[in-house]
Amino acid sequence: MAGVSTVDGGLRGTGSRPRSVVLGIDPSLTGFAVTAMSLNDDDFESWVYKSPQRGVDRLIDIVQWLTSVHTSLTDVGHTVFDVAMEDGVFHSISASVLGELSAAVRMWAWSSMLLPGKYPLKVPPTMVKKYATDRGNAKKNEVMLAVYKHWGVEFSDDNMADSYVIARIVRGSGDTQYRRDVLGKLRNPKFRDAL
């Protein structure tokens, strides 16, 4: 599909078997990123989609693309176990459009998933940064460097790196105290729409 970049981290490689996966989503208007990660190992696949559309057409296009990603995973036997998405504080001129995109993603998950993924875990940007770097105010390039240093995965797109971190968060991977702290805070029911 035009406008899509992919990083294959072994999730659907040669000899791959059906698995339970989690989805980490960075819902950006200019580079919508998704990472599917196995629940039981570090195999993953990440995508970033740059929609050519604008306005409502872009929202529809992104949801259709997200549906195609989900379908491509289930067609090879993977089961999506849970979903998390970055859910930022919107302080810009495009705040209403970003809010619409966030709502569109949540509606997609509600109509496509079984619980618990039906109500995505909403992860504030500061917690994504804290989980990756131990600092809630880290810059985008610092998150990308932390992903490379901690997990050996190199991304050229910061949205894709964020989706990877979000997938690790929803998977519940807490190998350091600061990561366990982030996971503990995200257990608060306010981070799931259903509760």
Side-chain angles (χ1 to χ4, degrees):
M1 176 178 267
V4 178
S5 300
T6 304
V7 173
D8 180 1
L11 186 64
R12 294 197 288 175
T14 305
S16 181
R17 64 201 180 286
R19 309 180 220 191
S20 291
V21 299
V22 295
L23 298 181
I25 300 173
D26 182 16
S28 168
L29 291 167
T30 57
F32 190 96
V34 177
T35 294
M37 182 176 289
S38 170
L39 276 176
N40 299 316
D41 56 40
D42 288 342
D43 288 351
F44 73 96
E45 187 167 355
S46 295
W47 305 265
V48 66
Y49 178 59
K50 298 178 187 299
S51 175
Q53 306 297 323
R54 295 288 176 259
V56 173
D57 291 335
R58 176 168 42 193
L59 297 176
I60 293 166
D61 185 48
I62 288 171
V63 169
Q64 288 173 340
W65 175 78
L66 186 55
T67 300
S68 74
V69 167
H70 181 253
T71 301
S72 74
L73 291 167
T74 58
D75 281 353
V76 296
H78 296 318
T79 303
V80 178
F81 176 76
D82 204 354
V83 179
M85 62 185 286
E86 189 173 76
D87 195 45
V89 179
F90 306 118
H91 293 295
S92 69
I93 198 155
S94 61
S96 64
V97 178
L98 289 170
E100 290 170 350
L101 180 59
S102 177
V105 171
R106 292 195 325 265
M107 288 174 65
W108 168 82
W110 188 88
S111 66
S112 301
M113 304 289 160
L114 300 173
L115 291 173
K118 186 172 193 166
Y119 299 98
L121 178 67
K122 297 179 294 182
V123 184
T126 54
M127 288 191 187
V128 174
K129 294 172 184 179
K130 174 79 174 171
Y131 186 88
T133 69
D134 193 22
R135 289 188 9 260
N137 62 349
K139 306 287 185 223
K140 291 179 180 294
N141 63 333
E142 294 173 314
V143 171
M144 291 171 66
L145 181 60
V147 168
Y148 178 72
K149 283 183 171 180
H150 294 299
W151 300 295
V153 179
E154 187 174 2
F155 292 109
S156 60
D157 183 280
D158 60 270
N159 297 312
M160 202 181 278
D162 284 352
S163 73
Y164 179 88
V165 173
I166 295 164
R168 284 194 164 272
I169 289 170
V170 73
R171 191 175 79 170
S173 306
D175 58 345
T176 65
Q177 186 58 50
Y178 63 89
R179 290 189 182 115
R180 287 188 292 274
D181 291 345
V182 168
L183 296 175
K185 289 177 184 173
L186 288 171
R187 286 189 194 101
N188 186 319
K190 74 180 182 180
F191 294 107
R192 294 263 186 192
D193 285 332
L195 306 171

